[in-house]
Every structure is written in C-alpha cells, then in structure tokens.
Amino acid sequence: MEHTITPDKQSVENCLKGKSYYIDFYQREYVWSKYTAETLLNDIFYMFELGYNEHKNSEISEEIMGKYNWYYLNVYITNKIQSKTYIVDGQQRLSTLTLIATKLYHLSKQYEKLEHLSKLLAECIYSNNGFGTSYNLDNKKRHRIMEAIFREESFESKYENITEKTLNERYKDISDYLNNKFKNSDDKKLNFFILYFLKRLVLVELAINQNDTPMIFEVINDRGESLKPFEILKGKLIGTLNKDDTEYFCKIWEDSLKNLPKKEDEFFIDLIKSKFVFKRNSDIEKNINQSYHRYIFEDNSISQGLGFKISGNDCHILNIKNFIEKEIKYYAKLYYKICNSNNEFLKYLNINELTGQYQIILAACNMEDANEDCKIEIIAREYERLWLLLHLNGIYDSNELQEISYELNKRLKGIEIDRYECIFDSILQETFKEKRQADRIQSLLEYEIFITKDYANTNKRLLRYLFARIEKYMCEQIKINPQNNIEYITTKTGDKTGYHIEHILSRNITNIKFFSNEEEFDSQRNILGGLLLLKDKINISSSNEEYEDKLKTYSNSLVWGHTLCESFYHKTNQYFLAFNGRLKNEKGVSFKPYDKFDKTALNERSRLLYELIKIIWNVDR
C-alpha cells in the first residue's frame, strides 16, 4: 500500500467549518490545563492586539484583515478511513479551539450586528444532518458535555471520564478570560477578533495513510511532555487494528489498566522482562526500561517473540489482539494483586525497596493460574530469604540480584510449586560456590562467615530490618505485642521517633580492657551480636557510658535488648522462660542476663543471634 503524507495549510475556519472529526478510542483524554489554555489565548491576543491597535479605526474588510499578522498553531494529523476523518495528533489544540469558538459564538449572540458571525461560528462547532446534532470534534466521551456547553446549560451529571471534566473546566476558564477581555469593548473589537480567530490563525493538516498511523503517532507524541510510553504503545497497537475493532480493544485496555494509575509503565516493563529476559544484559535492560514501546517493534528477539511488526499474512494483528485481550487483561489484574497484597513478605520486600519479585511472579504464573495466590506467597517469601542470605554471606550485589531474578524468570516457568524452594536453594548454592570458588557448601549461612558481618560493612537499613524481624519473632514466641511494626522500626530514623543502632560496648577504658588491644576492641564491638536498636536519640547512651548504666535504658527497649537485663527473667515471664528452654534444648543456645558485657558475652550473643536467624529464615531446611 502506498505511504503518503499530504500537507494542507488552512485557517481555523477551514479547519473546523463543516468538518467532522473522529477521535480514536486509543487516544488519550482531553487534558489541557488552565495554564496551557490561557498561554494559547495570551499568544493569540498578543498578535491580535498588534494589528487591532494599528487598524481599529478602519472599516472591517477582507483587505484590512489581511494586514493582521497571522499566528501559527502548528500541525495536526489526520487519516481517512471509509470516508471518516480521524485525528491522529492535535486533538488537544482542536478541542481548545472548539471551546474558544463556542464562547465567541455565545458572545456574538449578544449583538444583532454579529448574527452573520454567529452562524459562521456555529458551523465551526456542530452540524445537524437531520438525525440530530453532531459536534465537529466528537466521540462518545464528548457529546453530553458539548451539548451542555453549547446550550449554556449547567452540567449536573456525574462526570463519566476525564475528558468531560476537563472540557467543562477549560470552557469556564476560557469563558472567564474572554469575558474579561471584552467587558469594556464594543461589538467592533469582538467582530475584529472573531474574524482574526477564524481567518488569521493558521494550522497545517497532514493527512496520512492508515498504515503510517502507529509510526506517526509515536514520532509526534514521543517527544517533550507528550504521552507516556504505555500511552504511545496503546496508540501504536490499537492504531494498527481495523476501525471496527478499536472500540472493543480500547475498552479492554482501559479496563485492564484502570487499577494501575502511575504504575502502567512499570507493569509493561516487568511483563516484558518476565516473558523474555532470562539473563542480565545492560543494553537490553536499558532499552526496556527507557523505551520499551519502541524496542518491542525493532529488530530483536523480543520483537520477534511478541510478533507486533507488520507481516504479510496479518499475523501481527492476531498477536496484538491476543496480547490485549488475554495477556494484558490477566497480567494487569495479577500485577494489581501483587502491588496491593497484604502478604507479609511482599510488604517486607517493599520496605527494602526491592522490585524483582514482580517480574518473577508474572513469569511463574500462567494465564488464569489457579495457583497464583500460592505462587505469590512462596516467591515473595523465598525472594526475601534469598536477598537476606546474600547480604549475610557478604556477597550481595544489586547486579548479582538482578542476574538471579532473570534466572528465576526462566527456572520457575512451568514448574510445579513444590519445586520452588529447591530452585531457590540451588541458585543460592550455585552463587556461593562461584563466589567462593568452592566445590561444596556446608550451609547457606556458616557461622564463620556470619561473624564477619558487622556495623561497618552492613547497610544500616538492613540492620534495622534484621533486628525488627528478630523482634517480631521473639514477641510472637513470648506472646507480647511488639513496640512497633517492622516497617516502622526499619524506616523511621528521626531523632524523636526513629530507631537507631546502638553499640552495647561503649568506647571506654572498662570495655577496652576486655580485649587484647584497641584494634581488637574496635573490630569486635561492631559485630552483630554486639548491636541492638534503641528508639529516640535522646535515650541512646553516650559514647563512653558504663554497661551497668546502659542496662537502665535497655530495660525499656525492644525485647532483644531487654533480655540483657536480670529483670526480664522473672518467674512471671513464663512464656519467655519456656521459649528460652526450647532454644537451649533444640539449638544449644539460650538468652541470659549479663552484669558485665565482655568478650565471652559478646560471643554468646553472636551465636544466639546466628541461631535465631537460622530459625527465622529457615536456613537449614
């Protein structure tokens, strides 16, 4: 089919009068702001006033109007299908011009002398074919509000879409603006302005072939402040379909994405990665993250897999329909469920600002998956466990985690749920062997490695999260309510409301003497067993406070710190004593109070913390 672009320069009158434009269902809503509309009016009036001030004493004539400077309103793009003219680009400007014409129509009706202009303006707004009124820039979203605006009736109904709301609001703004401009003027100035508006504002129409629509749609809108990538993708996909199909598929698209406001692009990025990305590649990641709406139409394996590019047998049409009608419909609903889930492990991942779980869950779930809830639960739990064990083994790297995430995209596809834990463990084993150049790994967290993690080499937010999880586990075991929830403890760091990491061993002479030298003291006081959390910086002990004085503060702190105090072991604390007994019998460690915190106490607390972590994260399952 021949590809042509036909330019046609025309005035607002030629552009609107007697025309009938259709706005495709895949086009975005009318969204111009008050600022944008008033900026256009300011520019128009600036050019108009230059001519009017020079020629206001002249009689109105075509020759005089021809001396006014013209004002360029840019390009709008159309394509004609089955005798109907569709707007591909420019509906925001044409909509605003229609609102201005409507207000000028209402103003002109106030003057008998301007009746000829009223009729002309009316032809720029609507037409009547004998079967009813049809507005020249129309679709189902606009008819109700345009009827109210044109008839100067109050719109009392509930807005059904953004376009109705914006058209009504912008008309009121335009009405106020023009009322103010002409409040002290006679009919002559209004006459001049209407003629200037109709005759000297110039647009260029580009009429294009239907097959060029998706390409033109992207080129025009993929610049500056225009459409977001998912909106451009919508235009490119639905713009390819037959006009008889656009309303149906546009409704599916909108219904599918309506619950993901401001997350639409994240959804498409994760969906594409879940389907096609199984190994880290910085170029592919960059292309998907920044311009997936272009990349999936280029010459690459993802494009070939999706099959959206034009083909001789129209197979691309079937692929587009299937993608919208089945995949987007199901996976957008699943994505919404993931993003809004109350699952505790998804919340933990969100607290730690992790996102890899989204694409992994999409990859693991088949269309209309009956096991999706179970898969969400297991994947979220295992991904959080994997992330923490990478940290505690001292080999966490964001790029490494991304690599693992892509590997999980591949390994979990089509796999039975009961194999998920083995797959996660296998990946951890493989990662540890590679990093340590070892043939065999004894445990996913060996004590000799755990003890090397300390205050200096561990992310502080991670430390707060680690101790928050310890706190939650202990509170559950001893049947008390936690002081605060995990999110609060992990994320709040304010001087008066936040939690801060406390060294049990203050830097003073008493504590230094417990160690061979200052260097050993400085190193050992930082290990995880020598840390706890305190709320409110005011309560944090001074840097040289003696341990017995610190205990007074710890007695009012989180449970992990409170267990250092003798008072916590009172016989009335029966659930704690029972829990402590189970620990000793099953793991060979136990809590105990310390009247002094020396090297022995530090080692015991470190081993205790290690065993608690192994229980909570099921390290040796």
Side-chain angles (χ1 to χ4, degrees):
M1 186 178 288
E2 183 182 0
H3 295 255
T4 59
I5 297 178
T6 306
D8 184 16
K9 174 185 173 184
Q10 51 192 309
S11 65
V12 167
E13 178 186 5
N14 292 335
C15 171
L16 296 179
K17 179 183 173 184
K19 297 289 182 71
S20 182
Y21 295 108
Y22 292 84
I23 300 171
D24 264 317
F25 290 92
Y26 62 79
Q27 288 266 11
R28 67 172 168 176
E29 307 276 357
Y30 175 61
V31 294
W32 262 26
S33 66
K34 177 181 180 181
Y35 172 80
T36 308
E38 289 187 349
T39 298
L40 173 62
L41 285 166
N42 286 335
D43 291 344
I44 293 172
F45 265 94
Y46 173 77
M47 297 300 293
F48 167 72
E49 296 285 1
L50 291 177
Y52 184 72
N53 289 334
E54 183 176 350
H55 301 291
K56 62 184 176 182
N57 295 323
S58 303
E59 291 296 319
I60 298 174
S61 67
E62 187 172 354
E63 180 184 358
I64 291 297
M65 185 53 58
K67 295 180 180 181
Y68 278 61
N69 291 326
W70 59 279
Y71 181 75
Y72 177 55
L73 286 167
N74 215 322
V75 174
Y76 71 102
I77 300 176
T78 62
N79 72 302
K80 186 171 287 188
I81 302 169
Q82 299 175 351
S83 77
K84 291 183 177 181
T85 302
Y86 290 85
I87 296 176
V88 177
D89 181 74
Q91 64 123 332
Q92 305 289 326
R93 267 169 290 128
L94 294 182
S95 298
T96 307
L97 291 174
T98 300
L99 293 177
I100 295 172
T102 305
K103 177 59 182 177
L104 292 175
Y105 168 80
H106 292 146
L107 289 173
S108 67
K109 294 286 285 183
Q110 300 173 16
Y111 301 98
E112 187 176 340
K113 290 182 180 180
L114 302 184
E115 183 179 357
H116 63 296
L117 292 180
S118 298
K119 293 179 180 179
L120 184 57
L121 286 164
E123 292 181 76
C124 294
I125 302 164
Y126 78 99
S127 59
N128 191 315
N129 61 5
F131 296 98
T133 301
S134 172
Y135 289 91
N136 296 353
L137 192 66
D138 204 3
N139 69 3
K140 292 178 181 178
K141 291 182 176 181
R142 295 164 175 258
H143 193 86
R144 293 195 320 153
I145 190 64
M146 286 305 300
E147 278 277 281
I149 290 172
F150 183 72
R151 299 181 186 282
E152 294 188 279
E153 297 172 350
S154 176
F155 190 74
E156 302 296 339
S157 302
K158 181 180 179 182
Y159 294 124
E160 292 182 350
N161 50 68
I162 294 172
T163 293
E164 282 190 341
K165 181 175 185 292
T166 311
L167 283 170
N168 202 26
E169 291 175 350
R170 290 300 78 76
Y171 180 74
K172 290 175 181 177
D173 296 333
I174 290 167
S175 180
D176 291 343
Y177 185 99
L178 292 177
N179 283 338
N180 184 60
K181 281 291 184 181
F182 294 108
K183 65 181 178 181
N184 296 319
S185 302
D186 55 20
D187 60 351
K188 184 176 182 181
K189 184 173 183 179
L190 179 60
N191 192 340
F192 265 112
F193 182 77
I194 292 172
L195 289 171
Y196 180 78
F197 173 76
L198 292 173
K199 309 288 187 181
R200 300 301 287 165
L201 303 189
V202 175
L203 303 92
V204 174
E205 177 185 6
L206 295 183
I208 65 170
N209 184 287
Q210 181 184 4
N211 282 357
D212 297 322
T213 299
M215 180 271 292
I216 295 292
F217 186 82
E218 175 180 1
V219 170
I220 294 299
N221 288 288
D222 197 17
R223 304 291 184 268
E225 63 172 354
S226 307
L227 303 183
K228 295 176 182 177
F230 82 93
E231 294 173 311
I232 296 173
L233 179 64
K234 176 184 177 183
K236 292 176 73 172
L237 293 180
I238 299 181
T240 304
L241 304 180
N242 187 289
K243 290 300 175 190
D244 295 336
D245 293 324
T246 56
E247 181 174 2
Y248 171 74
F249 284 94
C250 184
K251 187 174 189 315
I252 293 175
W253 181 289
E254 291 177 351
D255 287 346
S256 299
L257 297 181
K258 66 183 178 182
N259 291 323
L260 296 175
K262 300 183 180 179
K263 288 183 178 289
E264 297 95 339
D265 287 321
E266 295 173 24
F267 161 66
F268 280 109
I269 289 169
D270 281 328
L271 180 62
I272 292 167
K273 288 179 177 178
S274 74
K275 290 170 63 68
F276 298 106
V277 181
F278 309 123
K279 187 174 181 59
R280 190 166 177 271
N281 181 306
S282 58
D283 289 336
I284 292 176
E285 288 177 84
K286 180 179 178 182
N287 279 312
I288 294 175
N289 291 340
Q290 296 182 2
S291 56
Y292 68 86
H293 57 294
R294 283 199 299 266
Y295 188 67
I296 61 176
F297 291 93
E298 296 173 359
D299 188 16
N300 55 65
S301 60
I302 294 178
S303 171
Q304 292 166 10
L306 288 167
F308 294 160
K309 294 177 70 175
I310 295 175
S311 60
N313 58 8
D314 283 344
C315 183
H316 68 293
I317 298 293
L318 295 176
N319 292 334
I320 289 171
K321 288 182 176 181
N322 183 70
F323 183 67
I324 297 171
E325 192 171 24
K326 296 180 180 179
E327 297 195 37
I328 292 179
K329 187 175 182 179
Y330 171 70
Y331 286 109
K333 182 172 65 175
L334 175 60
Y335 202 77
Y336 172 79
K337 177 185 280 190
I338 301 168
C339 292
N340 294 277
S341 173
N342 287 321
N343 177 275
E344 64 174 319
F345 291 98
L346 282 175
K347 288 183 177 180
Y348 297 160
L349 292 167
N350 290 333
I351 288 169
N352 290 290
E353 301 176 340
L354 296 171
T355 58
Q357 66 274 15
Y358 296 108
Q359 65 182 34
I360 298 169
I361 294 170
L362 295 180
C365 288
N366 304 313
M367 220 107 67
E368 306 302 333
D369 200 318
N371 295 314
E372 65 182 34
D373 289 331
C374 188
K375 290 182 176 182
I376 290 171
E377 166 72 29
I378 296 174
I379 291 171
R381 183 188 70 223
E382 292 299 312
Y383 194 69
E384 185 271 348
R385 174 178 180 265
L386 178 146
W387 165 78
L388 187 85
L389 289 177
L390 287 174
H391 269 290
L392 294 180
N393 276 275
I395 57 175
Y396 174 80
D397 176 84
S398 58
N399 291 333
E400 183 75 43
L401 184 63
Q402 189 67 70
E403 183 76 66
I404 290 173
S405 299
Y406 292 145
E407 180 68 21
L408 285 165
N409 287 351
K410 178 174 66 176
R411 293 202 196 184
L412 296 182
K413 280 186 184 294
I415 299 298
E416 294 298 321
I417 295 175
D418 57 10
R419 293 181 56 194
Y420 281 13
E421 290 183 357
C422 291
I423 290 172
F424 274 89
D425 282 346
S426 295
I427 285 181
L428 280 170
Q429 289 271 359
E430 293 164 15
T431 304
F432 294 166
K433 287 177 183 178
E434 180 184 347
K435 294 296 182 182
R436 297 173 191 162
Q437 297 183 337
D439 295 329
R440 189 167 180 273
I441 300 297
Q442 296 289 337
S443 170
L444 293 179
L445 185 60
E446 297 172 14
Y447 184 71
E448 292 73 18
I449 292 173
F450 166 76
I451 203 68
T452 64
K453 292 298 293 178
D454 62 26
Y455 178 82
N457 62 24
T458 306
N459 179 276
K460 303 306 176 285
R461 186 188 183 100
L462 175 76
L463 285 177
R464 292 194 300 275
Y465 173 72
L466 179 73
F467 283 109
R469 289 292 306 278
I470 297 289
E471 188 71 13
K472 179 177 183 292
Y473 173 73
M474 292 182 65
C475 287
E476 289 172 346
Q477 297 302 310
I478 65 177
K479 303 184 186 307
I480 66 170
N481 293 323
Q483 198 176 89
N484 273 299
N485 62 37
I486 288 174
E487 181 176 10
Y488 189 102
I489 295 173
T490 302
T491 60
K492 297 295 184 182
T493 58
D495 288 355
K496 294 184 178 180
T497 59
Y499 284 85
H500 308 272
I501 300 163
E502 155 86 345
H503 287 83
I504 299 173
L505 287 166
S506 296
R507 200 174 204 294
N508 56 40
I509 294 174
T510 302
N511 291 334
I512 292 173
K513 286 181 178 180
F514 291 141
F515 297 86
S516 302
N517 50 53
E518 267 191 69
E519 184 178 356
E520 184 189 15
F521 166 77
D522 287 333
S523 170
Q524 291 297 297
R525 74 188 290 260
N526 278 334
I527 64 175
L528 303 187
L531 304 177
L532 51 80
L533 297 180
L534 286 180
K535 188 171 182 283
D536 186 342
K537 277 189 175 179
I538 297 173
N539 290 329
I540 292 181
S541 304
S542 62
S543 60
N544 64 351
E545 192 171 29
E546 296 294 340
Y547 174 71
E548 55 266 29
D549 294 322
K550 283 175 172 278
L551 288 175
K552 299 172 186 175
T553 302
Y554 298 164
S555 64
N556 295 311
S557 70
L558 300 176
V559 173
W560 173 252
H562 199 171
T563 57
L564 292 167
C565 306
E566 179 72 37
S567 60
F568 201 71
Y569 296 78
H570 193 273
K571 63 182 180 181
T572 57
N573 199 355
Q574 55 181 329
Y575 290 117
F576 169 70
L577 296 177
F579 166 58
N580 203 23
R582 292 195 301 272
L583 269 181
K584 187 171 184 178
N585 291 334
E586 296 171 11
K587 301 298 179 181
V589 296
S590 62
F591 290 91
K592 63 174 68 173
Y594 295 95
D595 55 6
K596 68 175 181 178
F597 201 81
D598 55 11
K599 186 188 287 190
T600 300
L602 177 61
N603 290 335
E604 289 176 350
R605 289 284 285 193
S606 297
R607 174 63 73 168
L608 174 63
L609 179 62
Y610 170 69
E611 293 297 339
L612 289 174
I613 288 171
K614 287 176 67 180
I615 294 171
I616 296 169
W617 281 276
N618 204 5
V619 172
D620 293 331
R621 62 188 177 200

